[in-house]
């Protein structure tokens, strides 16, 4: 929540998508302009739209259509992939089973996680073990963010996010919820856990809201063909607070069923995230945040976020 922003910036990242992996084009002026705009967006709003990302609008719509089709199946069919501890907290959740700030959220969802092989991370990842275009796009955006912070292009790779864990949530917001079960939000105010989130939302329903520094809720109005992106808790720690995640929520006042698909790009599951040296030097030389093991942070959230 960096400023009293009134709108979320839109960035054409096509130069970054095209050139960020080419060492010979590291100083390309169009690429560096995208980096500058990413820096501004992360500091000012913590949210931004991206276009020119290389994923077709028709593919984005198809993903939403398939998601909507699943959620319109009979309840008994959806329960065939119900989330349980035995499924590694993957699968379908009914309306009200996701909890934010102690209140049930008025959405149903499917959670998918990076496959975790049994024993790969020892006891730490045991609750997350199970089988299971956006990962590469997220990696490229994170390369741009690394440059924006003044780091090397691969600063987030290797031991930090070279084997990035990811989470995919398919979310449906019904409108025909019984009065005795209904709360006022589709998803309560929160920040995201990891580095970067990409959201593919319905083109014609306005429901995602982002809070600015004055406490005003600003709509993330749908822009067809774009992803809404936001930064998360781990980037706050890694940057020593240069970039701050922004509170956001979903309030679906539309009379129509709403769908969104969120892709969460995280660090390595077992990465120990702490303020990196060059960011500490920019912020007084002292670490403002303690070291966080991402997997511990995620497991703690997962074990307390659901009612099953």
């Amino acid at each position: 929540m960096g400023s009293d922003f009134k709108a979320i910036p839109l960035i054409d990242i096509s130069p970054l998508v095209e050139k960020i992996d080419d060492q010979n084009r590291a100083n390309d002026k169009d690429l560096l302009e995208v980096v500058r705009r990413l820096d501004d967006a992360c500091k000012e709003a913590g949210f931004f739209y991206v276009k020119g990302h290389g994923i077709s609008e028709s593919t984005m719509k198809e993903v939403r259509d398939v998601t909507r089709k699943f959620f319109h199946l009979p309840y008994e069919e959806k329960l065939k992939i119900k989330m349980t501890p035995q499924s590694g907290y993957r699968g379908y959740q009914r309306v009200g089973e996701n909890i934010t700030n102690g209140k049930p959220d008025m959405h149903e969802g499917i959670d998918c996680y990076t496959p975790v092989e049994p024993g790969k991370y020892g006891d730490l990842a045991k609750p997350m073990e199970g089988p299971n275009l956006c990962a590469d796009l997220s990696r490229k955006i994170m390369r741009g963010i690394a440059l924006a912070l003044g780091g090397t292009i691969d600063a987030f790779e290797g031991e930090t996010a070279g084997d990035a864990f990811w989470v995919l949530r398919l979310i449906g917001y019904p409108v025909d919820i019984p009065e005795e079960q209904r709360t006022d939000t589709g998803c309560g105010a929160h920040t995201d856990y990891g580095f970067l989130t990409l959201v593919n939302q319905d083109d014609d329903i306005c429901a995602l809201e982002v809070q600015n520094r004055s406490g005003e809720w600003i709509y993330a109005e749908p822009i067809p063909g774009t992803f809404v992106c936001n930064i998360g808790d781990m980037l706050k720690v890694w940057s020593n607070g240069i970039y701050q995640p922004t509170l956001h929520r979903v309030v679906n006042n539309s009379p129509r069923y709403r769908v969104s698909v969120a892709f969460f790009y995280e660090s390595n599951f077992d990465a120990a995230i702490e303020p990196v040296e060059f960011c500490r030097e920019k912020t007084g030389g002292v670490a403002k945040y303690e070291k966080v093991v991402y997997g511990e942070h995620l497991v703690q959230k997962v074990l307390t976020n659901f009612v099953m």
Side-chain angles (χ1 to χ4, degrees), residues 94-115:
R94 296 174 292 183
V95 172
E97 288 187 339
N98 193 84
I99 304 296
T100 305
N101 300 323
K103 293 176 63 176
D105 291 323
M106 296 296 97
H107 69 252
E108 55 187 334
I110 305 172
D111 274 16
C112 312
Y113 294 94
T114 301

Side-chain angles (χ1 to χ4, degrees), residues 237-257:
V237 174
W238 196 88
S239 70
N240 207 31
I242 293 174
Y243 295 161
Q244 295 278 341
T246 304
L247 278 174
H248 51 286
R249 67 185 184 186
V250 176
V251 180
N252 185 23
N253 292 320
S254 167
R256 289 180 293 123
Y257 194 103

Side-chain angles (χ1 to χ4, degrees), residues 274-289:
E274 59 185 329
V276 70
E277 183 177 357
F278 69 85
C279 288
R280 291 200 309 268
E281 291 172 355
K282 292 182 174 184
T283 51
V286 177
K288 298 179 181 179
Y289 305 97

